[in-house]
């Protein structure tokens, strides 16, 4: 969506990738649960092909003036010396004990999942969903001069989801998580029983997370919520648009539900979610981000570029001179 507003530039696309030892592991089934491999990577590659986008897998074929990425949990070495725009993808995980350990000891950010989004500081601008999220990221220690409230392209026009052909209406929708698949703790029986209590006899639809083990999840739901309808695929946004109540844990789905005025249950504070709610600008976020890209491309060196990024550039130049 952003590239559509940058048609006067050559835009190339790659699935999310890593280098170093993580990159080596990504070539094996070990990381298939993550966006570095498995179905997420395959679906991204299929999307690139089906939409006639120009692929450069891993960004190996050329040097780029600008890189736009959805996550800075990993910053590959081959983009360190490009201008970088980080675009917020969705909700960030809670700041639990692991977040504080990773931040204090400067451990790899991916160990704390999305709670450490933005903490690489190795980007020039960070485009975020709302003023509420801007405050959240400032609280985490991100330079306010780098943060631009543009809106988030996948959450900025939720009213469009009301126009759909999903066959059910006025039910309780339970959007499950892939916590167990990503080696986190979840009591699925407790979650299902919570959904049953909220439904109180109303129709229940479970939408499984796309990364979830379908057979196991289906067996659990059939055991603890017999009669519930289960979808492992389908447009989750359309399901949210037609429900009367939405139950999640830490999912970005809650933002869509709140934007559409649904009754939402989440392990995040509902008041906090309302404060963070992405701005609804009718789908203009991608254009706003493209304008940020044009601004950055017109700048020689942003005056606030992080010391860590400058120091890496200096080391690169010094190495070239010695050689």
């Amino acid at each position: 969506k952003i590239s559509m507003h940058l048609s006067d530039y050559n835009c190339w696309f790659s699935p999310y990738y890593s280098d170093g030892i993580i990159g080596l592991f990504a070539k094996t089934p070990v990381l298939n649960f993550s966006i570095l491999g498995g179905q997420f990577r395959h679906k991204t590659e299929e999307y690139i092909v089906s939409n006639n986008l120009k692929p450069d897998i891993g960004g190996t074929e050329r040097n780029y003036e600008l890189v736009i990425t959805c996550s800075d949990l990993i910053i590959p070495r081959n983009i360190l010396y490009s201008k970088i725009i980080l675009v917020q993808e969705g909700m960030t995980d809670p700041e639990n004990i692991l977040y504080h350990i990773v931040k204090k000891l400067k451990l790899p950010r991916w160990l704390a999942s999305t709670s450490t989004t933005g903490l690489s500081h190795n980007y020039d601008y960070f485009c975020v969903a709302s003023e509420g999220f801007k405050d959240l990221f400032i609280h985490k220690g991100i330079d306010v001069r780098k943060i631009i409230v543009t809106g988030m392209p996948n959450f900025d026009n939720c009213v469009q989801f009301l126009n759909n052909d999903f066959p059910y209406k006025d039910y309780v929708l339970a959007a499950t998580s892939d916590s167990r698949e990503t080696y986190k703790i979840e009591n699925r029986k407790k979650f299902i029983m919570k959904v049953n209590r909220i439904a109180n006899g109303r129709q229940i639809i479970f939408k499984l997370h796309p990364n979830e083990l379908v057979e196991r999840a289906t067996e659990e739901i059939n055991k603890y919520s017999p009669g519930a309808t289960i979808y492992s695929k389908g447009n989750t946004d359309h399901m949210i648009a037609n429900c009367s109540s939405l139950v999640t844990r830490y999912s970005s789905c809650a933002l869509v539900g709140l934007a559409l005025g649904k009754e939402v249950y989440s392990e995040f504070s509902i008041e906090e979610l309302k404060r963070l709610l992405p701005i609804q600008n009718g789908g203009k976020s991608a254009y706003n981000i493209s304008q940020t890209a044009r601004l950055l491309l017109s700048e020689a060196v942003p005056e606030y570029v992080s010391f860590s990024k400058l120091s890496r550039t200096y080391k690169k130049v010094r190495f070239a001179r010695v050689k």
Side-chain angles (χ1 to χ4, degrees):
K1 289 184 178 180
I2 299 166
S3 72
M4 290 176 182
H5 301 286
L6 295 170
S7 57
D8 50 329
Y9 289 90
N10 289 314
C11 298
W12 300 77
F13 297 83
S14 172
Y16 196 68
Y17 65 94
S18 178
D19 48 20
I21 191 169
I22 299 298
L24 293 175
F25 276 119
K27 295 177 181 178
T28 73
V30 173
L31 295 181
N32 280 357
F33 69 89
S34 74
I35 61 172
L36 290 170
Q39 63 168 318
F40 294 115
R41 183 181 178 91
H42 295 320
K43 287 180 179 179
T44 305
E45 291 173 343
E46 289 171 2
Y47 184 90
I48 290 172
V49 172
S50 63
N51 287 274
N52 297 314
L53 304 175
K54 295 186 291 187
D56 182 3
I57 308 302
T60 59
E61 297 181 13
R62 52 193 54 79
N63 295 318
Y64 291 95
E65 293 179 74
L66 172 65
V67 174
I68 300 176
T69 180
C70 67
S71 174
D72 70 329
L73 299 187
I74 295 172
I75 299 285
R77 284 189 295 269
N78 68 341
I79 72 169
L80 267 176
Y81 310 109
S82 302
K83 295 178 178 179
I84 298 175
I85 290 178
L86 175 62
V87 177
Q88 184 184 350
E89 182 186 28
M91 282 297 301
T92 58
D93 287 340
E95 296 177 15
N96 56 21
I97 185 64
L98 189 55
Y99 164 83
H100 293 288
I101 291 172
V102 166
K103 188 176 180 182
K104 181 72 174 178
L105 301 180
K106 301 188 184 303
L107 298 174
R109 292 176 299 281
W110 48 265
L111 288 172
S113 192
T114 58
S115 65
T116 54
T117 296
L119 296 188
S120 74
H121 307 290
N122 278 310
Y123 49 83
D124 301 294
Y125 289 122
F126 185 11
C127 295
V128 305
S130 64
E131 291 291 338
F133 270 112
K134 177 180 178 179
D135 292 340
L136 174 67
F137 291 121
I138 292 171
H139 163 75
K140 289 176 183 282
I142 296 171
D143 188 340
V144 63
R145 294 172 296 177
K146 290 188 173 188
I147 302 175
I148 300 179
V149 178
T150 57
M152 191 162 43
N154 44 339
F155 290 93
D156 65 357
N157 190 22
C158 292
V159 68
Q160 67 180 313
F161 304 137
L162 294 172
N163 182 19
N164 66 74
D165 57 1
F166 190 66
Y168 300 102
K169 293 184 183 296
D170 301 325
Y171 46 83
V172 174
L173 177 66
T176 63
S177 76
D178 65 341
S179 295
R180 294 175 292 183
E181 286 73 18
T182 53
Y183 305 107
K184 302 183 186 77
I185 297 173
E186 178 178 5
N187 186 332
R188 180 53 60 86
K189 177 183 175 181
K190 181 179 178 181
F191 177 78
I192 296 173
M193 299 308 291
K194 176 182 178 180
V195 173
N196 291 341
R197 289 194 300 273
I198 292 169
N200 193 27
R202 290 181 289 172
Q203 180 185 15
I204 298 174
I205 293 178
F206 281 87
K207 171 58 175 68
L208 304 184
H209 191 283
N211 197 33
E212 199 167 355
L213 295 176
V214 175
E215 184 177 346
R216 176 177 66 182
T218 301
E219 182 179 343
E220 292 166 336
I221 293 167
N222 287 335
K223 180 178 180 179
Y224 298 114
S225 188
T229 302
I230 304 170
Y231 283 89
S232 61
K233 298 179 181 179
N235 190 312
T236 306
D237 293 325
H238 291 174
M239 297 180 193
I240 295 170
N242 288 10
C243 79
S244 55
S245 301
L246 171 66
V247 188
T248 73
R249 293 197 68 222
Y250 297 111
S251 173
S252 296
C253 292
L255 297 175
V256 177
L258 288 173
L260 292 175
K262 305 296 179 179
E263 178 184 56
V264 175
Y265 298 85
S266 170
E267 293 190 30
F268 287 113
S269 160
I270 298 301
E271 289 306 311
E272 175 69 2
L273 288 177
K274 289 179 179 179
R275 188 180 71 83
L276 298 175
L277 196 63
I279 55 177
Q280 300 297 298
N281 56 26
K284 295 180 181 178
S285 300
Y287 172 78
N288 294 341
I289 297 167
S290 75
Q291 295 305 104
T292 303
R294 292 183 185 279
L295 171 66
L296 181 56
L297 286 166
S298 70
E299 294 178 351
V301 178
E303 62 178 9
Y304 48 78
V305 70
S306 67
F307 175 77
S308 59
K309 194 168 185 178
L310 284 175
S311 66
R312 285 192 178 98
T313 305
Y314 171 69
K315 289 176 183 177
K316 182 181 180 184
V317 173
R318 184 176 61 182
F319 177 79
R321 287 176 178 172
V322 170
K323 184 177 179 181

